[in-house]
Amino acid sequence: MDQIFENTATAFALKTDSELERAYFLFKMISNEPLVKMGSVITNFAFKAHLPVESLIRATVFDHFCGGVNERDCLPVVDRMWQKGVCSVLDYSVEGKEEEDPFDTATEIILTILDFVKEKDAIPYAVFKPTGFGRFALYQKISEKKELTVKEKAEWQRVVNRFDKVCKKAHDLEVSLLIDGEESWMQDAADDLAEEMMRKYNRKKRIVFNTLQTYRWDRLPYLKALHERAIKDGFLVGMKVVRGAYMEKENDRAKEMGYTSPICKTKQETDDNFNATIAYMIDNIDVLSIFAGTHNEESCYKLMELMEEKGIEKNNTHIWFGQLYGMSDHISYNLAAHGYNVAKYLPFGPVRDVMPYLIRRADENTSVAGQTSRELTLLKKERKRRKM
């Protein structure tokens, strides 16, 4: 298969010269790990001290990795990407709340986004994080099979109701809904709830999608067991397949608490696990739908080859490629140019509230070997092509 991801003219067609320069500057900064750590500390301090840094952050890192401060703010970005055949997944990226009000607010925002999904071909999915709808500690307690207090049982019922409310609306509108994956020690509760929603709403169409983090060695067996239950009980399964975003935290906790880490021992094992999961899903595409969330070129080529081998059309509605906004444009735009279904995760939210997400993105880029240097190489190549 031709090396389609080398075409920087297609990859960066939407970027003006100044936007290209900003991207180059940002990835040069991100390539410096001590600078990222120092920047994270300074940014957190600035927000806590109420220093006027929002406009600076908005003009640099925020606008590169985020679509805007609210869903309407994102629409110009959505429309621009759609010109090149790249869709958007509006991602309300506010993390780590503990009170009930933000959970209800997040639910209302997802319900609004579902209307956008219905109205705009450029937005094929809505998405939410389980901890956007309930407390992390509550998911953890349920995952650990601990007895809930009367108050906690009522609180959990509210979480279930929020899940059901958005999944029912997605079903009624006939649009798809992605549920993000989180840390392993709370994931069992989220998995069970996602499966409950699939049983209820995925009878005729793949509406509800859970997430498989394949840096966990136990996820493919989980998928196979879920697939068996789906066949037996007559429902369809949607899955976003990713490598994962909490590796250091997962390994540190396992070491600290003395249990076997759920994370694959090597990157190669993770890559093999991701590719094996994709292959299994392609073999069972009659029941399973794939949203392949990956910035890994080899895995994208692998999925493209599997589709070709099986005679599956490039624009098959049950197979999507996904990348994050602000990253891996060489994958997204070149895939779209060749007729594949592609969607960018487009984070949005108030600048202050989205900072934990942005800091995680920066940390992730510094820790994933080759990711930042690849971005820089391609940006350099495009700058040279434009004679900048």
Side-chain angles (χ1 to χ4, degrees), residues 191-373:
D191 283 345
D192 290 346
L193 197 42
E195 181 175 340
E196 188 183 324
M197 296 298 118
M198 286 186 203
R199 286 174 180 275
K200 198 167 179 180
Y201 297 115
N202 284 17
R203 290 287 164 179
K204 293 179 180 174
K205 290 192 171 183
R206 299 105 192 276
I207 299 294
V208 180
F209 282 62
N210 197 10
T211 296
L212 287 176
Q213 298 187 96
T214 58
Y215 65 179
R216 284 179 57 176
W217 45 261
D218 61 348
R219 293 284 82 186
L220 183 51
Y222 164 78
L223 174 65
K224 289 178 177 178
L226 176 64
H227 180 215
E228 284 180 18
R229 293 193 293 274
I231 293 168
K232 178 173 171 284
D233 299 337
F235 64 95
L236 299 162
V237 173
M239 278 292 174
K240 181 174 69 150
V241 185
V242 299
R243 278 168 170 77
Y246 306 97
M247 185 172 72
E248 288 175 12
K249 195 190 283 190
E250 290 278 1
N251 284 330
D252 288 348
R253 185 178 190 268
K255 189 176 178 182
E256 186 184 319
M257 299 187 71
Y259 61 84
T260 302
S261 173
I263 306 301
C264 294
K265 286 188 169 64
T266 65
K267 183 180 182 301
Q268 188 59 54
E269 282 181 31
T270 297
D271 291 343
D272 292 344
N273 200 29
F274 182 97
N275 293 338
T277 302
I278 289 293
Y280 180 84
M281 293 184 78
I282 284 285
D283 283 342
N284 297 283
I285 203 70
D286 55 327
V287 175
L288 309 177
S289 267
I290 307 169
F291 185 101
T294 180
H295 294 212
N296 184 291
E297 294 169 19
E298 186 187 324
S299 290
C300 290
Y301 284 128
K302 178 79 175 170
L303 179 50
M304 292 155 72
E305 285 163 10
L306 287 168
M307 290 172 72
E308 197 173 329
E309 283 169 20
K310 299 281 182 184
I312 298 171
E313 293 293 319
K314 290 179 178 179
N315 63 348
N316 183 293
T317 55
H318 301 315
I319 304 170
W320 281 77
F321 294 80
Q323 289 80 42
L324 296 165
Y325 182 68
M327 292 168 62
S328 298
D329 286 347
H330 67 296
I331 294 177
S332 309
Y333 290 96
N334 281 305
L335 279 172
H338 282 76
Y340 293 93
N341 296 322
V342 184
K344 285 280 205 187
Y345 253 58
L346 188 58
F348 73 93
V351 176
R352 179 182 298 271
D353 291 340
V354 172
M355 279 317 297
Y357 167 86
L358 290 172
I359 288 167
R360 192 153 58 81
R361 275 289 79 79
D363 286 342
E364 208 171 284
N365 271 282
T366 55
S367 64
V368 177
Q371 173 72 52
T372 303
S373 62

